[in-house]
Amino acid sequence: MKTRIIGTGSYLPKRIMTNRDLERLVETTESWILERTGIRERRIADEREAASDLAVHAARQSLEMSGIDEKDLDLIIVATATPDMFFPSTACIVQDRIGARQAAAFDLSAACSGFLFALSVADQYIRNGVYRQVLIIGSEVMSRIIDWTDRNTCVLFGDGAGAAVLQRTQGEHGVLSSHLHSDGRLWSLIQVPGGGSRIPPSPAMLAERKPYIKMKGNETFKVAVRTLEEAVHETLKAAHVQPSELSLLIPHQANIRIILAVAQRLGLPMEKVMLNVERYGNTSAASIPIALDEAVRGGRVNEGDLLLFEAFGAGLTWGSALVRW
Ligand code: UT7
């Protein structure tokens, strides 16, 4: 028994924020951002759009491609670091909006690795025979937790959502292997310190800019390249696949230099790497499913292809998964 991806969808808010726009907000330059990150522009959600709104658009597209009726979904997992609210879960709000009455629904917190964690969790349920059809979504409104006065972070992130419908299948196609990792010792490298139970909302915490992302970018960068290379090899080894057999690498789109370093270590030519970091920046848990959806709709994925996903994020969390399309 395997888990097959039978539908994908994505949604990007209309508003585009360019590097030039950021030059007007913080002490930065268009060329610094492009050279150090590969990002030219990112999307910013409308002030009325929350994570569930973006998620619903992506979910509807993925359901349409899958041909599945929403009422036949058994489970909905939303991976997000920017839920609509503490509770109820964003997944329950999505469930209501799409009318998936039979489904259980919950959110999953693994920051930028969230979609891979959701894929792996859903894969366990499906392979164990518990559920037949699962909707997984990565949805983020990062613009709400960005400190627009901090040039170290505000140039990096963007908003968006991506979704995939998974179905139990027999045979060769589907998730061949997935591997997740966490190292909580490094939790402080990327964090939103305020707004939770440790530092609850107060005028002082707002004045100290605590409800916004803080990141030690350079340290994170080094750990990311090392751990992603290890995770990718682990997944390939478990599936007895050589890097040269891969059809497409679909990496988390955090920074072009991280993506290039991992591709280079795998010996993969760049035409086998899906890239959209230039247009959307780092959309956290949404980045892999958006890139997957663009690859599928753009005709870059054919039946039988071997796709490798890899992601890295706060926690620290990281992982990889291999899928036969
Ligand atoms: O997806 C979740 C995981 N997150 C990541 O994967 C992010 C990983 N990290 C990165 O992508 C990179 O570390 C950054 C893009 C965040 C930064 O690039 P870097 O090459 O590691 O630069 P740095 O942090 O070492 O900073 C170099 C210099 C510093 O100036 P000094 O101290 O050398 O004078 C920064 O203050 O660049 C400065 N700097 C900027 N300059 C212009 C930092 N941000 C900016 C900016 N514009 N926006």
Side-chain angles (χ1 to χ4, degrees):
M1 216 133 55
K2 281 203 184 64
T3 300
R4 191 167 187 184
I5 301 175
I6 58 164
T8 62
S10 59
Y11 174 77
L12 281 309
K14 304 274 166 302
R15 186 178 152 211
I16 294 173
M17 182 182 269
T18 63
N19 291 350
R20 188 53 65 81
D21 295 330
L22 283 159
E23 282 181 353
R24 288 190 274 272
L25 289 180
V26 286
E27 188 62 41
T28 190
T29 62
E30 208 178 357
S31 56
W32 189 97
I33 303 171
L34 187 61
E35 278 159 27
R36 306 309 291 165
T37 70
I39 302 166
R40 278 182 200 278
E41 58 187 43
R42 69 286 292 141
R43 299 301 178 95
I44 303 293
D46 187 279
E47 61 189 17
R48 290 159 302 183
E49 285 180 314
S52 67
D53 300 305
L54 276 55
V56 164
H57 285 295
R60 287 196 175 125
Q61 267 191 13
S62 66
L63 282 164
E64 202 178 303
M65 188 191 286
S66 75
I68 287 205
D69 193 294
E70 56 277 1
K71 293 185 189 61
D72 294 328
L73 286 174
D74 302 310
L75 177 67
I76 300 170
I77 306 177
V78 175
T80 183
T82 52
D84 287 27
M85 50 188 89
F86 271 131
F87 61 83
S89 68
T90 300
C92 282
I93 299 169
V94 171
Q95 178 199 16
D96 173 43
R97 295 269 304 281
I98 65 172
R101 283 192 215 107
Q102 306 302 323
F106 63 85
D107 287 0
L108 186 151
S109 168
C112 297
S113 314
F115 184 80
L116 273 189
F117 275 60
L119 178 67
S120 186
V121 169
D123 184 39
Q124 310 310 313
Y125 276 120
I126 289 174
R127 279 192 294 113
N128 285 325
V130 178
Y131 293 131
R132 188 176 289 276
Q133 272 136 197
V134 179
L135 171 64
I136 58 172
I137 306 171
S139 184
E140 303 282 16
V141 188
M142 299 303 285
S143 56
R144 300 283 151 70
I145 56 166
I146 285 169
D147 181 347
W148 292 105
T149 66
D150 177 9
R151 71 174 185 174
N152 291 297
T153 52
C154 75
V155 302
L156 304 175
F157 299 96
D159 301 337
V165 177
L166 312 176
Q167 188 178 51
R168 192 193 304 164
T169 179
Q170 305 285 350
E172 297 303 304
H173 302 271
V175 177
L176 303 182
S177 176
S178 72
H179 298 266
L180 307 179
H181 294 277
S182 305
D183 187 348
R185 290 172 304 177
L186 299 175
W187 68 266
S188 65
L189 286 187
I190 318 172
Q191 54 172 305
V192 176
S197 58
R198 174 125 353 244
I199 307 176
S202 72
M205 72 79 111
L206 265 178
E208 288 160 16
R209 314 200 71 74
K210 293 264 167 67
Y212 304 117
I213 299 176
K214 318 280 174 208
M215 182 169 74
K216 293 183 184 136
N218 197 262
E219 282 173 61
T220 305
F221 187 101
K222 288 175 197 153
V223 187
V225 174
R226 177 172 50 79
T227 51
L228 283 174
E229 188 191 2
E230 285 167 12
V232 158
H233 282 300
E234 180 183 27
T235 291
L236 292 176
K237 198 172 160 204
H240 308 289
V241 166
Q242 297 300 317
S244 58
E245 295 174 65
L246 291 174
S247 314
L248 194 62
L249 172 67
I250 304 187
H252 169 47
Q253 312 278 320
N255 185 318
I256 188 75
R257 292 185 291 135
I258 297 177
I259 297 172
L260 284 173
V262 175
Q264 199 174 31
R265 284 163 195 222
L266 277 173
L268 273 189
M270 285 316 281
E271 56 269 21
K272 284 191 172 186
V273 182
M274 185 64 201
L275 289 176
N276 62 17
V277 66
E278 186 177 347
R279 285 175 287 135
Y280 306 136
N282 180 348
T283 56
S284 184
S287 99
I288 288 182
I290 292 171
L292 172 65
D293 186 48
E294 289 198 337
V296 170
R297 287 173 198 270
R300 290 188 69 178
V301 181
N302 298 303
E303 182 148 344
D305 277 0
L306 272 176
L307 311 184
L308 181 66
F309 304 136
E310 46 97 329
F312 181 91
L316 294 180
T317 53
W318 65 96
S320 60
L322 187 69
V323 171
R324 165 113 28 219
W325 197 255

